[in-house]
Structures are given as structure tokens and as C-alpha cells.
């Protein structure tokens, strides 16, 4: 007998969240404050292009002013640093996001350090990352913030639960582990050198797949009744495929996020909300 799980509808929750953010934008407009978001895109990775287009479209729709700085693939580190300095100094820009990954000739750490920590809407500056791991409030990477909001909206409690985060990236695995810890989960981070990930997953009440391997998490990983969060956005034959084998896992998990329509839309909604948080600080 198989029981279908509840689908965590990121598309729906994100739409409601964007409406709340839109209301905050209109309140700012009454005070002549227009929230400003700058997205820096180096090169033309097709996936990044799509995300950037979505971010700008949704930002504009709710009244956020946004600019995209498109730079060629062969841009030097010095040239990119110059663009970031201009955005740091621009009073119309509240949030700066540098789309990752960057081309090989550019050192990621150098670039992330150059973004004004007070405009670091992605939360990737070491200052904000350090605050996050110290358990202090501040700017948080959007995907991790979006996942926490999705769990909260479905009243899924985290305190005291065993959470397994598969993947240790700067943009998802590490910050999400920090937020789950701050919410009093018992957190394990699995990575490419971890032995027997399936066995760890079988102990977990919450499993987050953020490693970038299509359909990596299968039903034998899952404890019945677990919560499964799929961060994967893999293109396979032109189709978007998550890191979770949805069809097999859905019959065992209590809650599961779909791809598309799960974590992706929450990521963008979190980015917009944080941009408006920053604009509110201007007053
Ligand atoms: N500095 C930086 N910040 C990021 O937040 C960042 C980044 N770099 N680099 C790339 C990843 C990827 N990412 C996604 C955002 C939205 C969707 C999204 O909206 N996905 C839709 C489907 C979109 C589609 O069909 O392709 C969904 O899942 O429903 C996906 C992926 C943000 N990233």
C-alpha cells in the first residue's frame, strides 16, 4: 500500500509571499522610496539567463526597480570589481546579486568580498555568512531563506528533528544547514566524500537534496513520513529534473517539494523580500 504525500506548493506560497512584499513596496513608494535591485551576470550561461529574466520580471511586477549588468564571458576581475564598486556607491541600488558561477579567470571569493555587506542581498559576503553561522540575524542566501519559509507556511516543525542536508555548496547546503541549526534541528551535512548517504538519510526526518545529481534520492533513502526538499535544477534532455526521484519518493514521504514549482519560485520570492527589507532600512 502506498500513501501519497502532501506536495509543498512553492509556486502558490511564493505568489502569496510576493503579494505581501508588493504591499511593503507600495508603502515605501508613499515615502518616495523605490527599492532597487542590481543583478550582475557575467557570460551567458543559458540557465542563468532564465533565472535572471525571471528575477527581473517578478521584481518589476511588484514595483522594484531592477537593473541587469551584463558583462562578456571574458570580463577581467578588475573590470567586474569596477562594476561592483559603482553599484556599491549607487544610492538607487539597495541589493546587489552577482550570479554564480563566475568564469575561471575571476576569483569568486574576491568578488563576494567586494560587495558592500549592507547591499549583499544574496548573503554571500563572508561578514554575512559569519553572522549566519553565529546565529545572528541578517542577510541570508535566498534559496535557504525560501526553504525555511516554505516549511513554516506548512507548519512543519524543525526543532529536535534530524535533518540531513546533502550538498555543502556556498549557495545552498551550508547556509541551509545554518538556518536549520538555528531552528534547533540536529543537522548532518553529507557531501561527495560521505560514506553511505542512504543510511544517513534513513535516520532523517527532513532530507534536503542539494547536490546537483538528477534523481539521486530514491525511495530506499527515505524513512516513512519524512519531509523531502528538492533543490535540484538539472537540465536533462531539455527537461528540468530535480535531485529527487519524485515518483518513487512521493509514496513514502509525508511532504515533498516538486521540481519545477517547489524551491525555485521560493528562491525568487525570498530575494525580492530581502531587497525590500534593505530598502526599508534607507528610511
Ligand atoms: N548569486 C546567485 N544567486 C542565486 O540565487 C542563484 C545563482 N547565483 N546561480 C544559479 C542558481 C539557480 N537559481 C534558481 C532560481 C530560480 C529558479 C526557478 O525559478 N525555477 C523554476 C523553474 C524555472 C525553469 O523552468 O527553468 C521552478 O523551479 O519552478 C531556479 C533556480 C538561483 N541561483
Amino acid at each position: 500500500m502506498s500513501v501519497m504525500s502532501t506536495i509543498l506548493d512553492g509556486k502558490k506560497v511564493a505568489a502569496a509571499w510576493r503579494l505581501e512584499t508588493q504591499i511593503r513596496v507600495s508603502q515605501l513608494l508613499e515615502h518616495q522610496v523605490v527599492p532597487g535591485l542590481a543583478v550582475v551576470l557575467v557570460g551567458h550561461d543559458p540557465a542563468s539567463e532564465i533565472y535572471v529574466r525571471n528575477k527581473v520580471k517578478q521584481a518589476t511586477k511588484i514595483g522594484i526597480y531592477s537593473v541587469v549588468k551584463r558583462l562578456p564571458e571574458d570580463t577581467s576581475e578588475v573590470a567586474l570589481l569596477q562594476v561592483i564598486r559603482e553599484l556599491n556607491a549607487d544610492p538607487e541600488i539597495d541589493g546587489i546579486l552577482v550570479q554564480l558561477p563566475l568564469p575561471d579567470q575571476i576569483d569568486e571569493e574576491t568578488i563576494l568580498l567586494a560587495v558592500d555587506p549592507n547591499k549583499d542581498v544574496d548573503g554571500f559576503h563572508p561578514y554575512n555568512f559569519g553572522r549566519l553561522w553565529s546565529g545572528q540575524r541578517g542577510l541570508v542566501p535566498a534559496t535557504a531563506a525560501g526553504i525555511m519559509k516554505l516549511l513554516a507556511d506548512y507548519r512543519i516543525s524543525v526543532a529536535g528533528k534530524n535533518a540531513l542536508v546533502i550538498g555543502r555548496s556556498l549557495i545552498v547546503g551550508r547556509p541551509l544547514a545554518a538556518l536549520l541549526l538555528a531552528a534547533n534541528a540536529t543537522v548532518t551535512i553529507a557531501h561527495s566524500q560521505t560514506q553511505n548517504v542512504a543510511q544517513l538519510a534513513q535516520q532523517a526526518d527532513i532530507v534536503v537534496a542539494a547536490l546537483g545529481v538528477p534523481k539521486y534520492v530514491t525511495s530506499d533513502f527515505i524513512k516513512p513520513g519524512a519531509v523531502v526538499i528538492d533543490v535540484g535544477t538539472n537540465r536533462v534532455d531539455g527537461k528540468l529534473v530535480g535531485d529527487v526521484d519524485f515518483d518513487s519518493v512521493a509514496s513514502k514521504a509525508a511532504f515533498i517539494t516538486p521540481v519545477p514549482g517547489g524551491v525555485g519560485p521560493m528562491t525568487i520570492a525570498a530575494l525580492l523580500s530581502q531587497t525590500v527589507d534593505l530598502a526599508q532600512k534607507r528610511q
Side-chain angles (χ1 to χ4, degrees), residues 27-147:
Q27 287 161 350
L28 282 170
L29 290 178
E30 286 172 20
H31 298 89
Q32 284 74 50
V33 173
V34 180
L37 173 67
V39 178
V40 182
L41 179 56
V42 184
H44 29 246
D45 172 51
S48 279
E49 291 269 8
I50 295 171
Y51 307 141
V52 168
R53 215 180 307 140
N54 282 344
K55 285 168 190 172
V56 168
K57 199 170 81 187
Q58 296 187 14
T60 307
K61 216 164 130 186
I62 68 168
I64 295 174
Y65 159 71
S66 60
V67 284
V68 182
K69 298 279 181 193
R70 273 172 215 283
L71 303 171
E73 183 78 35
D74 62 357
T75 300
S76 70
E77 192 174 286
V78 170
L80 178 55
L81 285 171
Q82 184 54 33
V83 168
I84 291 171
R85 284 196 202 97
E86 284 164 16
L87 294 169
N88 283 345
D90 187 339
E92 291 186 348
I93 297 300
D94 297 289
I96 301 169
L97 178 157
V98 182
Q99 191 74 14
L100 301 179
L102 290 165
D104 290 344
Q105 74 276 14
I106 298 173
D107 180 52
E108 200 173 283
E109 183 74 17
T110 304
I111 298 307
L112 298 180
L113 262 174
V115 175
D116 180 344
N118 297 307
K119 292 191 174 189
D120 174 36
V121 70
D122 252 344
F124 293 161
H125 189 288
Y127 172 79
N128 289 315
F129 225 71
R131 284 187 63 96
L132 175 59
W133 275 105
S134 310
Q136 292 168 293
R137 292 172 52 91
L139 291 162
V140 172
T143 302
I147 290 168

